[in-house]
Amino acid sequence: MKTPLLTWLLRLVVMCVVGFLLLPAVVVFIAGFNDRAILSFPPQSFSLRWFERALTYPDFRHGLRNALIVMVWTSTISIVVGAAFAYALNRYEFRLKHTLEAILMSPLMIPHFTIGLGLLMLGTQMGFARTFGIVVFSHIVIVLPFVIRSVYISMQNLDPRLEKAATSLGAPPWRVLVTIVLPLLAPGLFSGWLFAAILSFNEFTGSLFVTSQATQTLPVAMYNYVREYADPTLAALSTIYIVITATLLTIANLYLGLGKVLNVEQSR
Amino acid sequence: MAQPADRPFLRLFVTPSVLVAGGFIASLAVILQYSLRAHIPGELEPGGFSLGNFTDMLKPLYARAFVDTVLICAETAFFTLLLAYPLAFALVRAKSPFLKSLLLVTAVTPLFLGEIVRTYSWIIVLGNTGFVNSVLRGLGLIDQPIQMMFTKFGVVVALVHVTLPVMVIMLSAAISHIDRDYEKAAASLGASPVRTFLTVTLPLSLPGIIAGVTTSFAWTFSAFATPQLIGGGQVSTISTLVYQLGFANFNFPFAAALSFAGLVFTIMVIALLRRAARPLEKMGGHA
Amino acid sequence: MNSLADLPRTTDIAGQPNAAKPAVRIDGVSKAFGDVTALHEAWLAVGRGEFLTLLGPSGCGKTTILNLIAGFLEADSGEIFLDGAPITNDPAHKRQIGIVFQNYALFPHMTVEKNVGYGLRMRGVDKTEIARRVGEALELVKLPGYGGRRPRELSGGQQQRIALARALVIRPKVLLLDEPFSALDKNLRSAMQVELKEIQRSLGVSTVFVTHDQSEALSMSDRIAVMSAGRIRQIAAPGEIYRAPADRFVASFVGDTNIFQATRVSPTSVIVGGFLIDVMPGPLEGTIDGQEVELFARPEELSLTSAGAPGTLPAEVVTKVYQGGYSDFYVTTPLAAERVLVRIHGPAALELWPEGAKIGLVLPKTGANAFPPGE
């Protein structure tokens, strides 16, 4: 049995950490409803005008549209590429397998500004800088490690004997894939897709390098806004962001079990 | 080597990722190529072969940026670990599923908010008319606002917040895979809860600590918006310099060289951390 | 030809494979994984309707044979025939082989009905026919009416029956069983063994059964192939394997055994402690008269009597274990390096001698086996 004192101490520390995690969100939430144009605490009066401005500011609307376009392409391509690779990684042996894995997983560790700068210069040399193509490609490179990891964990929980059983019953490889592997992998595929979508939508550093005025995504537009204005518009926008993200994650947790996806379930 | 018949989808499944990897490697190759060429002021096209970019990097301005970046990374990793461990521990060991989910969602949400939203939030918290200063002033504890924006302290606080989620995830993964019978065995042998933790749980979670610290280090090194906006030009890191060189001075060769140096440096630090951790990990003794 | 009972019937007596066209024939098949040879040139034939068991410790190559027959592995050399036709290069899904896996491998996202009907759907059988045959298969395994359930709602024994139904409904040319009982508890295991054997016999389906459990092998098989280190050591009916093991490995792996120091006096007899004992012919080929050999005797072939009785070896009771219908006595004797296990039948056998008692150990006059000293 734990000493109650220790338990209480742990609880206190955890509450402080949770407080630290939540503090910015709470502050932003309050600031978003502040009526005054200059950020200050505590707010004197409340209004929704910054929400209105956030939703009508042309750069944000344009950025949102771009971010959604990039997000849909990125997440869809990433889940196909990543899931296929995760399958091969888990089930097959092939030449240079671990080299390929190391390259694809490296963006987890490689600075995003390096990735962004590299792709910007590559795009310039090959004549497709300033296109959506280069933005989507940079996002794919950045989110792919997360997708591969998410699907790979699901693959590990997929008993190869199920595929063998289906094969012995006469299913050719592609039917095994469609009738056994894909249905059983669906939660992992969905969470991988969701990860990719959220990460792509929020990707900033890489995007800053590879986007142009025309392809600028919402985070880049927000960055430019912070540098120019000090009013609480961004606080309002951040509030919307936080609410949507937390809601999505709560839903994901309910239906998919984030603990399983992130591999943090207690093993016994 | 398995026969082709055992791997019906090999080509189909691996080719797309080979293409992605190829494009990515090509971009790194371009960086390397640019970094070895001279910058002609006023021109976007780089000049001929030169090692000048790398010798320029030894100038105090850049050397200091390297040192500052490493210090920020190290401090961030340390404080992140300190805060993340109790949370990860509570998250894994919480008995109520509701509390577990609550902690998990709270811990993970910031990961998905993106750099700008998080950084901006900290500007409001740390600013001179921001939350902390307003509260302290309201309580009559200070007269003059404490300067936290545009300081290394502010940058580190915000970065700890940035890397906390990923550290929590990695620590939780490690702690959740510790067989609780080890702890029961230690307790049955007479170890107090504190000693059980120090002699059993902590060493067994070392792989997670190492993974968390390296990732935190790499992410902090990569962070741009936070040092740029909260540091406000007073704190120079490699990332802010690369951006400045590229987009303010259009000196792409030097930006590439600095990126390349940063990349090599990251790889070295991570390799070093892992190497240093190896004997520790062995001590942790996973069966 | 529309019901399970229409499977090709066995005309052979168990244990006598139809040499002309066995259900499965493995001709000199080898398989290596990297530097490790999992199977050394195996030769094996499974007769029509025969229940053949591959028995051996883990890593002996029995699962490799199973995977080679199923088509999950490709042989490095040799040829595999199914009903006389070579299938060595056929992909696994075209082999018409039924498999019951250790964990049953029921598809968790499908109902029992969909699981059992899976193989028929893959063959493009029409819906009403599938429904009929699935119903029949569920009857056969005594689970009619379970079609709508999910695998996770079933007990271990029920899951196994469904797995069996799923494998049989495609009318396999051979049924492969990969340690199917190891996940069941002891009582259920015996019941399922009997039931499986009944179904197998009634359908006459040729079966290859993989196990490391010797009692399972002895009780269920028509013939047993004992394997170790990638080689088939002996293929014979259970009784023969037990009574006349081909080598030391088979003798010690199948059933309990005791080893005594002996001296060869002829190809079919040895002397142990001054007593002449007749042994099975064969294993002593290659040794010479007067050579040191070892006598292998089963626990039930030995008996105990009072110390000093004529025709006995001196021995001492070390431990005794009550087993219900019989008792196990562990005794020491100078002629055996290890403790000797003696099995005495009768519910009161335990009371015969106390621990520590000096007694006389009686060796069998005939029927035991002697082998050259080995590893």
Side-chain angles (χ1 to χ4, degrees):
Chain A
M1 271 284 119
K2 272 192 197 117
T3 344
L5 180 69
L6 271 177
T7 314
W8 279 109
L9 202 67
L10 178 66
R11 276 182 201 168
L12 188 71
V13 172
V14 169
M15 263 153 49
C16 290
V17 177
V18 169
F20 174 73
L21 273 168
L22 293 179
L23 177 67
V26 173
V27 169
V28 152
F29 190 78
I30 300 169
F33 292 97
N34 190 351
D35 185 50
R36 286 181 53 197
I38 298 190
L39 277 172
S40 63
F41 274 88
Q44 307 302 317
S45 54
F46 294 90
S47 88
L48 288 175
R49 56 189 267 222
W50 305 114
F51 282 89
E52 197 194 326
R53 177 165 160 81
L55 294 174
T56 52
Y57 185 67
D59 273 12
F60 288 167
R61 308 192 97 188
H62 187 65
L64 176 67
R65 197 184 128 257
N66 288 346
L68 288 174
I69 292 172
V70 172
M71 179 188 89
V72 168
W73 281 104
T74 300
S75 54
T76 309
I77 297 174
S78 300
I79 196 65
V80 173
V81 175
F85 183 71
Y87 183 91
L89 193 63
N90 186 268
R91 292 291 200 257
Y92 300 158
E93 287 302 325
F94 51 92
R95 233 155 32 99
L96 297 181
K97 169 173 153 170
H98 295 290
T99 312
L100 189 58
E101 184 194 356
I103 294 172
L104 291 173
M105 297 305 283
S106 68
L108 275 181
M109 294 289 161
I110 291 181
H112 289 187
F113 61 83
T114 307
I115 298 173
L117 183 69
L119 285 170
L120 170 67
M121 296 192 303
L122 182 70
T124 312
Q125 284 198 341
M126 301 183 54
F128 54 84
R130 302 179 173 275
T131 63
F132 273 114
I134 197 77
V135 183
V136 170
F137 188 78
S138 68
H139 281 207
I140 291 173
V141 167
I142 288 169
V143 306
L144 206 51
F146 293 90
V147 176
I148 292 173
R149 197 178 137 79
S150 163
V151 180
Y152 187 80
I153 291 172
S154 309
M155 280 301 299
Q156 281 180 317
N157 296 326
L158 180 65
D159 187 349
R161 281 177 289 199
L162 294 173
E163 288 158 77
K164 285 188 174 183
T167 304
S168 78
L169 291 167
W174 66 271
R175 288 194 81 169
V176 177
L177 200 66
V178 172
T179 57
I180 307 295
V181 178
L182 284 180
L184 290 173
L185 227 48
L189 292 175
F190 180 70
S191 60
W193 177 82
L194 193 67
F195 271 19
I198 296 176
L199 289 169
S200 160
F201 189 77
N202 288 310
E203 211 294 323
F204 167 67
T205 311
S207 310
L208 184 63
F209 283 83
V210 293
T211 52
S212 61
Q213 189 63 41
T215 59
Q216 154 180 305
T217 58
L218 186 56
V220 178
M222 287 164 76
Y223 172 75
N224 290 332
Y225 193 92
V226 186
R227 296 182 55 126
E228 278 178 50
Y229 307 96
D231 66 44
T233 307
L234 219 53
L237 192 56
S238 299
T239 305
I240 300 173
Y241 240 90
I242 293 169
V243 170
I244 292 176
T245 308
T247 312
L248 275 179
L249 286 176
T250 308
I251 293 170
N253 188 33
L254 281 180
Y255 287 98
L256 299 169
L258 270 184
K260 240 183 259 158
V261 174
L262 299 170
N263 198 17
V264 299
E265 289 292 81
Q266 176 83 46
S267 54
R268 48 155 54 216
Chain B
M1 197 32 81
Q3 310 287 325
D6 305 343
R7 309 172 291 172
F9 301 111
L10 181 63
R11 193 167 289 217
L12 185 67
F13 279 11
V14 175
T15 309
S17 37
V18 169
L19 292 177
V20 172
F24 176 47
I25 291 295
S27 76
L28 296 182
V30 171
I31 289 190
L32 181 61
Q33 185 220 341
Y34 262 73
S35 70
L36 293 172
R37 295 172 72 175
H39 170 59
I40 304 166
E43 293 268 342
L44 276 179
E45 265 305 298
F49 175 81
S50 152
L51 284 173
N53 296 321
F54 288 97
T55 48
D56 281 356
M57 231 176 275
L58 298 171
K59 285 182 187 163
L61 169 66
Y62 302 109
R64 256 209 70 187
F66 258 100
V67 173
D68 276 354
T69 308
V70 170
L71 282 178
I72 289 174
C73 291
E75 283 169 30
T76 304
F78 176 76
F79 287 110
T80 306
L81 178 62
L82 220 57
L83 294 188
Y85 204 103
L87 184 57
F89 190 80
L91 168 62
V92 173
R93 298 292 167 84
K95 287 192 184 69
S96 117
F98 173 74
L99 185 62
K100 230 182 166 79
S101 308
L102 192 70
L103 287 177
L104 187 64
V105 171
T106 314
V108 169
T109 304
L111 181 65
F112 294 101
L113 282 180
E115 258 181 296
I116 299 297
V117 170
R118 283 180 295 188
T119 304
Y120 177 76
S121 316
W122 280 103
I123 294 177
I124 313 182
V125 174
L126 299 175
N128 283 350
T129 56
F131 176 77
V132 174
N133 277 318
S134 307
V135 168
L136 290 179
R137 224 189 311 202
L139 293 172
L141 292 173
I142 51 169
D143 298 325
Q144 288 297 311
I146 303 171
Q147 182 69 35
M148 287 178 286
M149 281 295 287
F150 315 128
T151 66
K152 215 175 85 186
F153 169 79
V155 173
V156 170
V157 168
L159 284 175
V160 167
H161 190 250
V162 169
T163 58
L164 200 53
V166 72
M167 182 79 88
V168 169
I169 290 172
M170 293 194 163
L171 290 177
S172 307
I175 296 171
S176 69
H177 289 99
I178 297 175
D179 191 331
R180 295 204 68 175
D181 284 353
Y182 291 133
E183 290 169 19
K184 287 179 195 155
S188 77
L189 293 168
S192 66
V194 175
R195 291 202 65 177
T196 302
F197 175 78
L198 290 178
T199 55
V200 177
T201 318
L202 193 60
L204 285 176
S205 57
L206 258 176
I209 294 177
I210 291 153
V213 167
T214 32
T215 309
S216 157
F217 199 98
W219 285 26
T220 315
F221 197 93
S222 169
F224 168 74
T226 310
Q228 177 77 7
L229 293 176
I230 294 185
Q234 302 300 305
V235 181
S236 283
T237 63
I238 304 297
S239 59
T240 60
L241 281 178
V242 168
Y243 183 73
Q244 198 188 327
L245 284 166
F247 288 85
N249 307 351
F250 296 105
N251 185 347
F252 280 103
F254 194 53
L258 205 55
S259 284
F260 186 74
L263 175 61
V264 172
F265 189 77
T266 315
I267 294 170
M268 264 167 35
V269 169
I270 290 169
L272 218 68
L273 273 174
R274 295 213 169 130
R275 172 64 55 87
R278 212 171 291 156
L280 288 172
E281 221 166 326
K282 272 194 197 120
M283 198 182 73
H286 261 294
Chain C
M1 280 294 286
N2 274 334
S3 88
L4 280 165
D6 292 334
L7 276 163
R9 283 266 169 188
T10 172
T11 47
D12 297 314
I13 300 303
Q16 299 297 314
N18 181 334
K21 231 181 163 196
V24 180
R25 206 175 88 212
I26 292 175
D27 279 7
V29 169
S30 298
K31 177 72 192 174
F33 299 105
D35 295 338
V36 184
T37 307
L39 199 60
H40 292 274
E41 244 191 81
W43 297 78
L44 185 73
V46 184
R48 302 223 160 199
E50 185 182 21
F51 193 111
L52 182 120
T53 299
L54 301 173
L55 172 68
S58 63
C60 71
K62 56 189 193 293
T63 306
T64 304
I65 293 192
L66 194 88
N67 282 324
L68 285 165
I69 298 175
F72 299 140
L73 289 176
E74 282 192 41
D76 296 338
S77 59
E79 195 81 42
I80 301 171
F81 299 88
L82 198 59
D83 278 353
I87 55 157
T88 318
N89 297 315
D90 288 359
H93 67 274
K94 291 193 176 147
R95 291 196 179 190
Q96 191 80 358
I97 284 171
I99 306 182
V100 176
F101 291 88
Q102 190 170 2
N103 65 346
Y104 320 130
L106 295 177
F107 307 132
H109 59 304
M110 296 181 192
T111 58
V112 163
E113 203 166 17
K114 294 278 181 211
N115 262 284
V116 177
Y118 188 87
L120 299 175
R121 286 203 300 285
M122 292 303 129
R123 283 165 176 75
V125 176
D126 76 72
K127 274 194 181 134
T128 48
E129 174 72 0
I130 291 179
R132 197 180 66 73
R133 278 166 69 175
V134 166
E136 230 173 55
L138 291 178
E139 290 286 338
L140 180 79
V141 297
K142 301 191 185 124
L143 286 175
Y146 278 68
R149 307 257 185 122
R150 294 268 173 178
R152 63 167 180 277
E153 297 163 3
L154 303 178
S155 70
Q158 289 171 333
Q159 288 186 28
Q160 183 175 56
R161 287 163 199 242
I162 299 304
L164 185 63
R166 185 177 70 176
L168 288 173
V169 82
I170 62 167
R171 293 175 196 148
K173 291 177 181 156
V174 60
L175 177 66
L176 306 180
L177 306 171
D178 185 8
E179 308 232 4
F181 303 114
S182 56
L184 300 177
D185 66 48
K186 198 165 172 269
N187 292 332
L188 188 56
R189 189 182 304 187
S190 333
M192 284 307 298
Q193 284 169 2
V194 172
E195 197 175 320
L196 179 75
K197 187 71 214 206
E198 279 170 9
I199 291 175
Q200 187 266 336
R201 193 157 291 163
S202 72
L203 297 177
V205 58
S206 315
T207 303
V208 177
F209 174 53
V210 161
T211 184
H212 64 269
D213 183 326
Q214 40 126 342
S215 71
E216 229 166 66
L218 291 172
S219 65
M220 298 188 70
S221 321
D222 295 325
R223 284 191 307 154
I224 299 174
V226 183
M227 298 185 65
S228 103
R231 293 178 198 277
I232 297 177
R233 298 303 189 102
Q234 184 175 13
I235 309 179
E240 197 184 337
I241 295 270
Y242 190 78
R243 285 194 310 272
D247 60 22
R248 300 172 57 93
F249 175 81
V250 178
S252 41
F253 189 76
V254 181
D256 297 315
T257 196
N258 300 296
I259 306 175
F260 297 91
Q261 296 149 23
T263 308
R264 173 180 148 155
V265 291
S266 83
T268 57
S269 57
V270 298
I271 283 183
V272 178
F275 305 109
L276 186 69
I277 293 166
D278 291 334
V279 295
M280 297 287 186
L284 287 186
E285 275 171 28
T287 58
I288 53 167
D289 289 350
Q291 187 177 335
E292 293 291 311
V293 294
E294 289 178 339
L295 179 83
F296 281 57
R298 302 284 181 196
E300 68 276 8
E301 293 176 327
L302 302 171
S303 59
L304 300 176
T305 183
S306 40
T312 64
L313 302 177
E316 184 181 332
V317 177
V318 182
T319 310
K320 47 185 193 171
V321 180
Y322 185 59
Q323 302 276 20
Y326 59 91
S327 293
D328 285 338
F329 285 80
Y330 291 88
V331 307
T332 53
T333 171
L335 286 160
E338 312 256 329
R339 285 179 183 184
V340 173
L341 169 62
V342 184
R343 190 156 290 160
I344 311 278
H345 285 269
L350 194 73
E351 312 304 325
L352 291 175
W353 295 279
E355 283 171 5
K358 306 277 183 207
I359 41 101
L361 177 63
V362 186
L363 295 179
K365 292 272 170 287
T366 58
N369 292 276
F371 299 100
E375 60 280 3

